[in-house]
Amino acid sequence: MGRGDLTNAEWDRLESFLPRGGTRGGRWSDHRRVINGVLYRVRTGVQWRDLPERFGPWETVYKRHRRWSADGTWKMLLSKIQAAEDSAGRVDWDVSVDSTAVRAHQHAAGARKAPPPKVPQKGARAATKQTDPSAETGRPAGGGGRLGECLGRSRGGLTTKIHLAADGHCRPLALLLTPGHYGDGPQLEPVLRQIAVPRIGVGRPRSRPDHVLADKAYTSRSNRRYLRRRGIAHTIPERRDQLRHRLNRGSRGGRPTGFDGEQYKKRNTVERAINRLKGFRAVATRYEKRAYIYLGTVTLAALIIWLRT
């Protein structure tokens, strides 16, 4: 076992959830070796072609990562581990929300806007019906172009923003990608909707935190209405201009927002979760052209955080 590879205990937790066979009756290459190869690349940020030979052909490792990013296997594994932790009572549902900007490498730009045409197989007849482009290219629908691949232009160049919700133990519960120039406030509702921790046995996945903490970037009326509508207690400080505007309106300005300074001290958990994610070099710098592959990279990093915390 090499440095940073899955331990026996970690592998035992993942093995039962992995796909059993390959397509067309074939067999997957050894899952553990391939996952360790993907993990090595996520941890070090090396090019796929530079993977050590002990992980097997680099094409196999890359294609497995691309496929599992597209079909949601990495997300499924993360949900399974979260469900096991929640059933054992080890999830703190005081959730903090924040975002971080990630610099995109120059190789992350240049993804084609339209999906590539399907390459017909040898001896196969031409298709008579129009099929879904996502099924033809092996990637989910959407994407294409700079904004479609979550790349935004800012002073530092091309950037991608990771929005995340973290539990009280500094572990990512939900992840969302946007272009780097997108604001934080409008993404509070989308990122909270990504929280869905399955229950062991019968019942809907848990999606409602006990408490939400966020900084001033999220202190809009629409966000507060959304949290009140769902019955979620929240601690979000009010900006000075909002406070001044409310006071100027007098009785029409409404009641002041509640704020618990002691509760707000727990918001640093999301900052520490971001630091853990960016400890993986392929997360701290984006190298992937496709947003769904980069999201798979971030999801795998979150999965490892859950396994090792």
Side-chain angles (χ1 to χ4, degrees):
M1 185 179 70
R3 176 174 176 267
D5 290 352
L6 292 174
T7 64
N8 292 333
E10 294 165 356
W11 172 247
D12 290 340
R13 298 183 67 184
L14 292 178
E15 185 178 12
S16 60
F17 305 129
L18 295 173
R20 292 299 179 186
T23 58
R24 298 183 182 177
R27 295 172 56 188
W28 295 99
S29 298
D30 181 56
H31 279 317
R32 186 170 184 176
R33 183 180 67 176
V34 173
I35 292 176
N36 284 333
V38 179
L39 182 56
Y40 180 89
R41 188 263 174 183
V42 172
R43 182 172 59 85
T44 61
V46 300
Q47 295 187 9
W48 290 103
R49 295 175 182 269
D50 295 331
L51 284 176
E53 293 182 358
R54 65 186 177 94
F55 299 118
W58 71 266
E59 298 95 334
T60 301
V61 180
Y62 167 69
K63 290 179 180 179
R64 187 79 54 86
H65 176 54
R66 184 183 65 184
R67 180 183 293 116
W68 284 4
S69 299
D71 63 17
T73 300
W74 293 129
K75 186 176 181 180
M76 178 272 295
L77 294 175
L78 177 60
S79 297
K80 295 291 186 181
I81 300 301
Q82 289 175 342
E85 291 292 300
D86 188 41
S87 65
R90 292 193 291 264
V91 177
D92 185 348
W93 284 94
D94 285 349
V95 174
S96 301
V97 179
D98 206 348
S99 71
T100 181
V102 174
R103 181 71 168 87
H105 193 270
Q106 60 181 352
H107 295 165
R112 64 176 69 187
K113 296 183 179 179
K118 181 179 180 181
V119 179
Q121 298 179 0
K122 186 176 181 180
R125 294 183 301 176
T128 57
K129 295 183 180 180
Q130 182 68 27
T131 57
D132 182 11
S134 63
E136 295 179 354
T137 60
R139 62 180 175 86
R146 196 177 68 189
L147 294 182
E149 300 299 344
C150 296
L151 289 172
R153 179 72 66 178
S154 63
R155 290 184 179 181
L158 292 178
T159 54
T160 296
K161 188 171 284 188
I162 304 174
H163 304 265
L164 73 156
D167 79 332
H169 299 303
C170 311
R171 299 174 296 188
L173 280 170
L175 299 163
L176 182 69
L177 298 184
T178 64
H181 62 279
Y182 277 30
D184 292 352
Q187 307 306 322
L188 176 68
E189 181 176 345
V191 74
L192 290 181
R193 290 188 182 277
Q194 295 291 322
I195 299 177
V197 178
R199 302 181 189 272
I200 303 297
V202 181
R204 297 179 179 178
R206 176 162 183 177
S207 60
R208 186 168 64 178
D210 293 333
H211 201 101
V212 168
L213 301 100
D215 60 19
K216 293 181 180 181
Y218 300 90
T219 179
S220 65
R221 290 187 177 182
S222 60
N223 285 340
R224 295 183 188 274
R225 281 197 299 266
Y226 167 73
L227 294 170
R228 286 194 296 267
R229 187 169 63 249
R230 293 191 60 191
I232 301 174
H234 54 278
T235 301
I236 304 176
E238 190 177 23
R239 293 202 307 264
R240 290 184 179 180
D241 59 333
Q242 291 179 326
L243 174 62
R244 184 170 58 253
H245 180 65
R246 178 171 53 80
L247 294 177
N248 290 339
R249 297 189 64 188
S251 60
R252 296 178 301 168
R255 294 178 297 178
T257 59
F259 179 74
D260 186 349
E262 288 298 319
Q263 183 74 22
Y264 188 69
K265 292 179 180 179
K266 292 186 65 177
R267 199 195 67 83
N268 69 84
T269 55
V270 69
E271 305 287 354
R272 288 148 62 191
I274 290 172
N275 287 339
R276 288 179 177 179
L277 279 176
K278 286 194 167 181
F280 297 85
R281 292 176 179 267
V283 174
T285 301
R286 173 178 171 177
Y287 299 99
E288 291 84 357
K289 293 182 183 293
R290 297 297 180 186
Y292 78 92
I293 302 180
Y294 180 64
L295 181 59
T297 298
V298 181
T299 303
L300 175 58
L303 172 63
I304 298 302
I305 291 173
W306 277 86
L307 287 174
R308 297 177 178 176
T309 304

